[in-house]
Amino acid sequence: MADLVSYGNVERDIEQALIALKKGAQLLKYGRKGKPKFCPFRLSNDETSLIWISNGGEKRLKLATVSKIVPGQRTAVFQRYLRPEKDYLSFSLVYSNRKRTLDLICKDKVEAEVWIAGLKALISGQAGRSKIDGWSDGGLSIADSRDLTLSSPTNSSVCASRDFSIVETPSNSNTFPRTSRTENSVSSERSHVASESPNMLVRGPGSDVFRVSVSSVQSSSSHGSAPDDCDALGDVYIWGEVLCDSVVRVGADRNASCVGSRSDVLIPKPLESNVCLDVHHIACGVKHAALVSRQGEVFTWGDASGGRLGHGMGKDVSGPQLIESLAATSVDFVACGEFHTCAVTMTGEIYTWGDGTHCVGLLGHGTDVSHWIPKRISGPLEGLQVASVSCGPWHTALITSTGQLFTFGDGTFGVLGHGDKETVFYPREVESLSGLRTIAVACGVWHAAAIVEVIVTQSSSSISSGKLFTWGDGDKSRLGHGDKESRLKPTCVSALIDHSFHRVACGHSLTVGLTTSGKIYTMGSTVYGQLGNPNADGKLPCLVEDTSLSLSPAIFIFFFHPPVKFLKITKEKTAISKNTTAVTT
């Protein structure tokens, strides 16, 4: 790991590092109790204290009490949840006469270098000598660390409020800007708006510029579960079909070689990444994937052909790589088609990128030009806020915050719902649903489905109910209308008129709907048993027969219409690919 102090212009580099520390960052904090959690950290303006927010209160560590900085995961606190793959991103501050430690993990290598260099300069300046253990301008050396692995975890505690070097004060909402996020499905909904946190450029040797994340956003929830949101790290696990090198690399062994051209993963394995990711949302295409971190950053990896990764180049990426052009934008969620990708910001703007030559209008920019970096869609969406997006291979559908449904792309089989089979170059509102509120949408290959809110009169009262509408290619009875005819406009599935739906998903040859009472209905091909009912003939919607399923309206349904290569488990949520349907509990 490079040391910023060893760069040519030492004073300038340290000054830039201290600026980054004062701006702050989300660091993963280890403690005596509970799991590691993300907390916003920053350096005080007078450069004497390290400040962070934990459990709703502001805490301070006086740097004058710090005796040394220890790179890596060598303290007793780290041993409780040891993560060797993050060792080079980790460091500890030893204080209170070497009895306590503050143990932190940075998001990426650059962030770790900046924090260690800045803190080293401050601590060294106060004592007149270097206090970093096992760290020198030439790199990391093996040092005697017998005094660091303490016998009692209690003695290693960081958050003891009685310690004289930590001061707890009321939380100041102006100190760390906050944002709100909720867990989303593949077709995600945006319901919160947050301010964007700036990013900082720190100049290294020569003319090289590297990026430092200085986001101090603390995750919270509008549903009253703010503490829980920060407690769990959103890890990503993958399994299934893997295209060697060109798609993704799994496991911790960076030197592992692939056998042949393909190496399928049969059990979930952690997604390998060079940065510490706290995943908020993930989406899968056929040969690429994208994720959004809790800090609003977008990472993509996989097959780069056509520009679907958004990095501005045609080189395949084997692990999550930050989309630099979106670094200054706070993104809420992403969606992946086969050839393109969409991202929606916290303010409701939508960006698309990818291969425009496969289908005119696929990106919504009015041309067949491919875009290798994200480009914002304007035109008909100007002044509107996008709330959810779903991508098919050849078309895209989105819902605004007011419930308007827009579609664009290839109109074959009437999949766009505009009453014809014409290609649409820009997002166009589906007129037959104008005036109604669309609450969910899903795209298959050549069909689509939506849940539309309608007013139903029961007895003497009127209530709102979500009805399932389908349109596009009706082959294999995937539309649920009892025939194989195409529908050019959204048509209510009459067989399910008595049910109120909450979520919907589309596969290649089937449609899946989840009711507000927790029942799952499927319609379409029966070839692989994906309808979940051995007695289903596929002609009309059928109920998934499994008495062990006990679902709630909060459930999300995951179904990926093409064969998907990447999946995740995070916070007890699971997704399965290919010709299967998965639900999360």
Side-chain angles (χ1 to χ4, degrees):
M1 185 188 300
D3 187 342
L4 289 186
V5 179
S6 66
Y7 289 169
N9 191 329
V10 176
E11 292 183 358
R12 181 196 62 192
D13 293 330
I14 294 301
E15 180 182 356
Q16 293 295 323
L18 294 180
I19 292 175
L21 266 60
K22 290 178 182 179
K23 291 281 188 179
Q26 290 276 102
L27 303 181
L28 187 63
K29 176 184 172 295
Y30 275 55
R32 182 174 63 87
K33 296 180 179 180
K35 294 182 179 180
K37 62 180 180 180
F38 276 94
C39 296
F41 279 79
R42 70 176 179 88
L43 178 67
S44 63
N45 291 332
D46 60 7
E47 301 179 357
T48 63
S49 301
L50 192 59
I51 305 172
W52 70 95
I53 291 179
S54 179
N55 298 326
E58 183 182 280
K59 300 178 185 287
R60 291 173 178 259
L61 172 62
K62 295 180 180 179
L63 296 181
T65 67
V66 177
S67 59
K68 66 175 67 175
I69 305 177
V70 184
Q73 301 178 1
R74 299 163 56 191
T75 65
V77 173
F78 266 129
Q79 298 302 313
R80 296 177 59 250
Y81 290 99
L82 196 61
R83 299 187 67 179
E85 74 279 7
K86 306 297 182 184
D87 185 81
Y88 72 108
L89 303 175
S90 310
F91 68 94
S92 302
L93 299 180
V94 182
Y95 66 97
S96 189
N97 295 323
R98 307 178 73 135
K99 294 181 179 180
R100 300 185 184 278
T101 60
L102 178 59
D103 306 271
L104 304 169
I105 298 181
C106 298
K107 180 181 64 176
D108 52 38
K109 181 179 178 181
V110 170
E111 190 170 79
E113 291 173 343
V114 170
W115 275 83
I116 291 176
L119 292 173
K120 174 183 176 181
L122 292 174
I123 296 170
S124 300
Q126 291 174 2
R129 63 181 177 85
S130 175
K131 293 185 179 180
I132 192 163
D133 182 60
W135 187 271
S136 64
D137 290 347
L140 181 64
S141 61
I142 304 298
D144 185 3
S145 59
R146 287 173 294 178
D147 59 327
L148 299 178
T149 307
L150 307 179
S151 58
S152 171
T154 304
N155 292 334
S156 311
S157 175
V158 173
C159 298
S161 59
R162 294 182 181 179
D163 188 88
F164 68 92
S165 63
I166 295 184
V167 181
E168 198 165 322
T169 60
S171 175
N172 184 349
S173 60
N174 295 325
T175 303
F176 297 103
R178 300 172 182 265
T179 184
S180 297
R181 290 186 180 277
T182 57
E183 292 298 324
N184 297 304
S185 66
V186 172
S187 299
S188 301
E189 296 183 0
R190 183 193 59 78
S191 58
H192 304 285
V193 178
S195 60
E196 296 175 0
S197 299
N199 293 296
M200 181 177 179
L201 293 180
V202 178
R203 188 169 297 276
S207 59
D208 294 336
V209 176
F210 56 89
R211 181 177 176 278
V212 179
S213 175
V214 294
S215 170
S216 57
V217 175
Q218 180 183 25
S219 177
S220 61
S221 171
S222 62
H223 301 287
S225 58
D228 293 332
D229 286 346
C230 280
D231 286 342
L233 179 66
D235 286 325
V236 179
Y237 287 74
I238 61 172
W239 67 95
E241 184 179 15
V242 176
L243 300 182
C244 181
D245 293 334
S246 66
V247 177
V248 72
R249 181 175 54 202
V250 301
D253 186 0
R254 298 173 183 271
N255 298 318
S257 60
C258 296
V259 179
S261 61
R262 300 173 64 161
S263 180
D264 293 348
V265 178
L266 302 182
I267 59 175
K269 292 187 178 181
L271 172 66
E272 181 179 304
S273 174
N274 292 326
V275 297
C276 184
L277 297 171
D278 184 24
V279 180
H280 160 65
H281 181 257
I282 190 169
C284 302
V286 174
K287 292 185 178 181
H288 78 295
L291 63 82
V292 181
S293 71
R294 192 173 293 184
Q295 291 74 40
E297 297 168 320
V298 181
F299 295 79
T300 59
W301 69 100
D303 187 341
S305 61
R308 71 191 76 180
L309 298 186
H311 298 143
M313 55 185 181
K315 183 179 179 181
D316 295 348
V317 178
S318 61
Q321 180 173 318
L322 178 71
I323 297 183
E324 294 286 352
S325 61
L326 290 176
T329 304
S330 182
V331 173
D332 191 12
F333 61 88
V334 289
C336 294
E338 184 171 351
F339 307 105
H340 74 302
T341 313
C342 304
V344 176
T345 70
M346 292 296 289
T347 56
E349 295 180 320
I350 181 171
Y351 289 77
T352 63
W353 61 94
D355 192 348
T357 60
H358 276 86
C359 168
V360 177
L362 180 61
L363 303 181
H365 302 303
T367 68
D368 60 355
V369 175
S370 296
H371 289 274
W372 292 72
I373 59 174
K375 180 179 180 180
R376 185 175 71 90
I377 296 180
S378 54
L381 298 180
E382 206 67 50
L384 300 176
Q385 292 185 333
V386 177
S388 74
V389 175
S390 181
C391 296
W394 319 103
H395 71 292
T396 305
L398 61 86
I399 302 173
T400 69
S401 59
T402 57
Q404 297 169 274
L405 176 63
F406 286 77
T407 60
F408 53 95
D410 192 328
T412 303
F413 297 109
V415 69
L416 300 183
H418 298 305
D420 53 37
K421 301 178 182 179
E422 300 299 319
T423 292
V424 174
F425 297 82
Y426 296 96
R428 178 193 297 175
E429 184 177 5
V430 177
E431 293 183 2
S432 64
L433 296 179
S434 180
L436 299 175
R437 184 179 184 87
T438 303
I439 58 179
V441 67
C443 295
V445 178
W446 291 117
H447 80 293
I451 299 173
V452 181
E453 196 174 73
V454 299
I455 304 299
V456 178
T457 302
Q458 292 184 350
S459 299
S460 59
S461 62
S462 296
I463 61 172
S464 176
S465 180
K467 301 306 176 184
L468 181 63
F469 285 70
T470 60
W471 63 96
D473 183 14
D475 189 34
K476 302 186 187 303
S477 302
R478 70 193 76 183
L479 301 183
H481 300 303
D483 56 38
K484 298 182 180 180
E485 299 299 319
S486 297
R487 299 294 192 279
L488 301 183
K489 294 182 179 181
T491 305
C492 184
V493 180
S494 58
L496 299 174
I497 194 66
D498 294 331
H499 300 278
S500 178
F501 284 85
H502 179 66
R503 290 282 184 249
V504 64
C506 291
H508 184 282
S509 300
L510 82 160
T511 305
V512 184
L514 173 67
T515 70
T516 54
S517 62
K519 295 181 179 180
I520 301 176
Y521 284 89
T522 56
M523 57 212 79
S525 174
T526 62
V527 174
Y528 299 103
Q530 61 261 49
L531 297 187
N533 187 324
N535 300 317
D537 59 9
K539 296 180 180 180
L540 289 171
C542 65
L543 178 67
V544 173
E545 292 188 354
D546 188 341
T547 56
S548 66
L549 287 177
S550 179
L551 307 180
S552 72
I555 289 295
F556 293 102
I557 296 179
F558 290 84
F559 188 92
F560 302 98
H561 52 82
V564 178
K565 319 301 180 186
F566 323 84
L567 291 161
K568 74 164 183 176
I569 307 172
T570 177
K571 299 182 182 178
E572 300 181 354
K573 288 183 171 56
T574 309
I576 303 175
S577 66
K578 297 201 174 182
N579 292 308
T580 59
T581 304
V583 296
T584 63
T585 57

